[in-house]
Amino acid sequence: MKFQLAINLERIDDSLDMNDVARHTLEMVQIAEEGGFDIVWSAEHHALEMTIAPNPLQILTWWAKETSNIRLGTAVATAAYWHPINLAGEAAFVDLISGGRLEFGIGSGAYQREFDRMKPGLKQSDAWRYMQEMLPVIRALWQGDVAHDGEFWQFPTATSVPKPVQDNVPVWVSARSPITYDYAMRERCHVNCWPLTRPFAEAELYKQQLDEAIAKADNGWIPRFALMRHACLYDNDADRQEALDAIRRLLSQFENLFRNSGDVVNGFPASIPLDELAGREQYDPEMLEENLMFGSPDTVIQKLKRYQALGVNEYIYYASMGLNHKAQQRSLRMFCKEVMPEFR
């Protein structure tokens, strides 16, 4: 099993100084590289302090100069917010200055609130159409001159400048629905998935959809399949409680954005009381501890082995959950030292 890190610059409130946030985020990336992680992922989000990522490629450029070996991925560049020529060139530049370490992840986007500001009039549920038009164009631009006359973008002959260093940049698609799995297999992409806080059965569903898409495509493509879960390792009750309090607070803000149902002031989403939500059993502390990658090193090892047996060959350690910086780093170091050796 290979291991990847998803890490955001994040603030749950304005008590944290942005310089400390940036320093901590980079330190987490460097800890992951030192510990043997394969890839680190940056997101794209806009006008939200809980995920400070206005340009994932700019973040990767920063990390590239502060690391040596870890591969650098976008999870994900939101297709509808970009022009193909712009995205192709910026992604290729990251590959160039990093010595060929780019992993290119593209997706549809997450929150309707962001679409209302970045692409007014577009429903989040329709954004997959932009992603499906964008990806073949990006790959063509990386190869040389191409003109495009599509539904969403039209341009005369152009190319990506610069070109990627890698002959074939690995491409990843974030998938949770059959239509996306089918597209990823047709286009020979790798897949990452995020079951949110849902139980193991959700991962089983994604694996079933992946297997069906592989069979349907019937093109010989066998993708890398990575699954993401929020992670926190601890070995005492105080740290356990701190982790559960942090993730539940984060989820109360996430629900605001996911349902587009609450205020966002100066970039900070208001917390929606979890006991007021339908389906609030999804945020029960015991359920969260069971479903997420929470627990002692031995507990986490057993959880990972269950995913490995399912066919998940890569795990994405999602570090950003509003936990204090020392606790985040303590957890990641524990994972590197006590969990990863079991899978080498």
Side-chain angles (χ1 to χ4, degrees), residues 252-295:
S252 73
Q253 293 191 349
F254 176 78
E255 280 296 333
N256 176 336
L257 297 171
F258 200 66
R259 299 169 187 246
N260 201 26
S261 59
D263 293 335
V264 177
V265 179
N266 286 331
F268 294 105
S271 294
I272 297 179
L274 296 178
D275 59 4
E276 296 179 5
L277 292 173
R280 56 184 176 272
E281 64 277 0
Q282 296 180 53
Y283 309 106
D284 175 76
E286 291 185 6
M287 181 281 301
L288 291 170
E289 189 171 33
E290 172 67 23
N291 292 352
L292 303 182
M293 205 58 67
F294 278 29

Side-chain angles (χ1 to χ4, degrees), residues 88-109:
E90 289 201 34
F93 182 78
V94 171
D95 200 49
L96 173 65
I97 63 99
S98 68
R101 287 189 277 154
L102 176 66
E103 303 274 330
F104 183 71
I106 189 167
S108 301

